[in-house]
Amino acid sequence: MSDLRLDSLQVMLGLVLLFQRMPNMRPAAVLISTAFRLIHEMGIHRREGYEGISSAEALQRRRVFWVAYILDRDISMRTRQPPVHQDANIDLDLPPVRSSTDRAGFIDAGDGCTHFNFFRSRAQLAQIQGQVHECIFSVQGRSRPADEASLEIARLRGLLAQWRAQIPAALSAEALIRTRGTVLPKAFCMLYATSLSLLGQLTRVNAIEFDWVNRLLRHARNVHAGLPSVPPASLEGWDALVEESRSFVMLFLSIPKKDIAFGRLYCCSLISGLMFLSANCIGKSDHAYYESDQQLGLQAKDFVDQLSQLSRHDGILAAQRAYTELDRHVERLTHGARDDSVLRALDPMM
């Protein structure tokens, strides 16, 4: 009977993975809730649920639990609904850092010396996802005094930095871009897109935070029109967000074969990353990555337009239109800055 229930759970999680790629997340959210009801009934979220079973079955149950946990946190991040399962009800160990018996999720970077448990890293990131939701979107988190909220956000940024530091240099976005491969870059796109989304939530900005987007667009319009304008308030953690955006967008664009389902999964992260890069260019035409960031936008334009039309999601379409307008303003400002530079070169008295 337990095998039958485990099989049912695996089928359910397979369906969650399938529906997770659809524009409507409701079926995935309903299925993951049902899956956790079965998990609770089977007791595979607690150590005592493993008593009296073989080591092979215990290993399979642990893997299934962490897959469900990761999916639950991912759906929560996308829908901004609370995770189904709470960390207080778990006493299982994370997937191992090293193991001679459980090699699921281990990645060899190809250099002969870098071995990394991708599964463990993804589970750790899922833990941070749950904490970010609690901080930013929960009733308790929203009611925190401002000073307490700032401290918690700083703590979570620190957790993300620690998580990122555990990824070997051979598997960084920059290193993966140089491989010109598909399998590993696609897998790590998932990690880096999630990390970028979490940083955006902690900074309280992304492509579908339309209050921030509209303030940004008003500023860009005024700057382009030569009108007095006060830029949106400087955001704590902005530089880290821009750097993360640059790494993710470069990695995403470097993947040679990107099917629409893969692109749809990371459409919001891609548009958000591009928007952060464009926003960072307003009034900063002398920053070191100005030209290269503009080139990233040009490379991504057709793919973003195609994804947005296929997504059939009002929020994504609105974000794509906002990004297109913002990028247009930045491009015009760039040309204006270049024209001014030429004039100054011709007439030193300017």
Side-chain angles (χ1 to χ4, degrees), residues 54-107:
S54 68
S55 57
E57 184 179 351
L59 178 60
Q60 189 174 17
R61 285 183 172 213
R62 283 195 295 271
R63 289 174 179 172
V64 167
F65 171 78
W66 285 114
V67 168
Y69 181 89
I70 290 165
L71 290 172
D72 181 32
R73 264 50 184 176
D74 206 47
I75 291 168
S76 171
M77 184 184 74
R78 293 169 186 272
T79 62
R80 300 190 177 181
Q81 296 175 2
V84 176
H85 193 80
Q86 301 303 310
D87 284 346
N89 292 324
I90 303 170
D91 63 359
L92 292 184
D93 294 329
L94 283 163
V97 177
R98 298 178 185 84
S99 175
S100 58
T101 57
D102 181 9
R103 301 297 297 170
F106 277 84
I107 287 175

Side-chain angles (χ1 to χ4, degrees), residues 110-347:
D111 58 3
C113 59
T114 301
H115 305 284
F116 177 69
N117 192 339
F118 181 92
F119 191 29
R120 176 186 174 89
S121 181
R122 185 63 188 88
Q124 289 175 315
L125 188 58
Q127 290 178 323
I128 300 173
Q129 283 176 274
Q131 293 181 55
V132 170
H133 182 279
E134 174 68 22
C135 174
I136 302 298
F137 301 112
S138 72
V139 173
Q140 183 179 2
R142 287 174 178 269
S143 62
R144 275 197 182 105
D147 55 342
E148 288 184 19
S150 294
L151 287 173
E152 179 63 5
I153 287 171
R155 185 186 73 83
L156 291 169
R157 284 202 183 100
L159 283 181
L160 275 171
Q162 291 172 21
W163 169 83
R164 184 80 182 247
Q166 293 174 6
I167 299 175
L171 295 171
S172 67
E174 294 73 17
L176 291 169
I177 289 167
R178 292 193 294 270
T179 67
R180 299 185 180 277
T182 299
V183 177
L184 280 183
K186 274 190 172 182
F188 277 85
C189 249
M190 174 175 64
L191 285 186
Y192 295 136
T194 302
S195 174
L196 175 60
S197 294
L198 293 177
L199 278 178
Q201 288 180 353
L202 290 172
T203 313
R204 301 179 190 271
V205 293
N206 63 44
I208 56 174
E209 292 284 355
F210 292 112
D211 179 59
W212 174 76
V213 170
N214 288 331
R215 283 187 282 118
L216 184 63
L217 286 175
R218 281 196 299 271
H219 173 60
R221 291 165 189 155
N222 289 338
V223 170
H224 177 247
L227 299 173
S229 181
V230 177
S234 179
L235 299 169
E236 188 175 351
W238 176 256
D239 290 342
L241 184 63
V242 169
E243 186 177 340
E244 188 88 359
S245 298
R246 188 175 294 120
S247 294
F248 168 71
V249 172
M250 289 174 65
L251 178 60
F252 184 92
L253 293 176
S254 74
I255 297 172
K257 295 179 181 179
K258 296 183 283 289
D259 57 78
I260 294 302
F262 173 78
R264 184 186 288 128
L265 202 56
Y266 306 115
C267 187
C268 186
S269 295
L270 179 62
I271 296 175
S272 293
L274 290 166
M275 189 170 285
F276 299 150
L277 294 178
S278 285
N280 196 54
C281 287
I282 299 176
K284 297 181 181 178
S285 58
D286 58 344
H287 80 71
Y289 294 97
Y290 189 89
E291 294 289 343
S292 58
D293 287 350
Q294 291 295 95
Q295 285 299 314
L296 287 176
L298 289 174
Q299 292 174 43
K301 183 180 184 306
D302 290 342
F303 194 74
V304 167
D305 291 346
Q306 183 184 14
L307 276 179
S308 301
Q309 295 304 318
L310 289 171
S311 72
R312 302 190 302 277
H313 187 285
D314 291 342
I316 295 296
L317 287 169
Q320 182 261 343
R321 288 192 294 269
Y323 166 66
T324 299
E325 181 184 348
L326 177 64
D327 193 55
R328 187 169 62 247
H329 288 307
V330 171
E331 185 179 358
R332 288 171 178 170
L333 289 169
T334 301
H335 288 311
R338 285 173 179 162
D339 292 344
D340 289 345
S341 297
V342 171
L343 288 173
R344 281 194 293 271
L346 293 173
D347 186 355

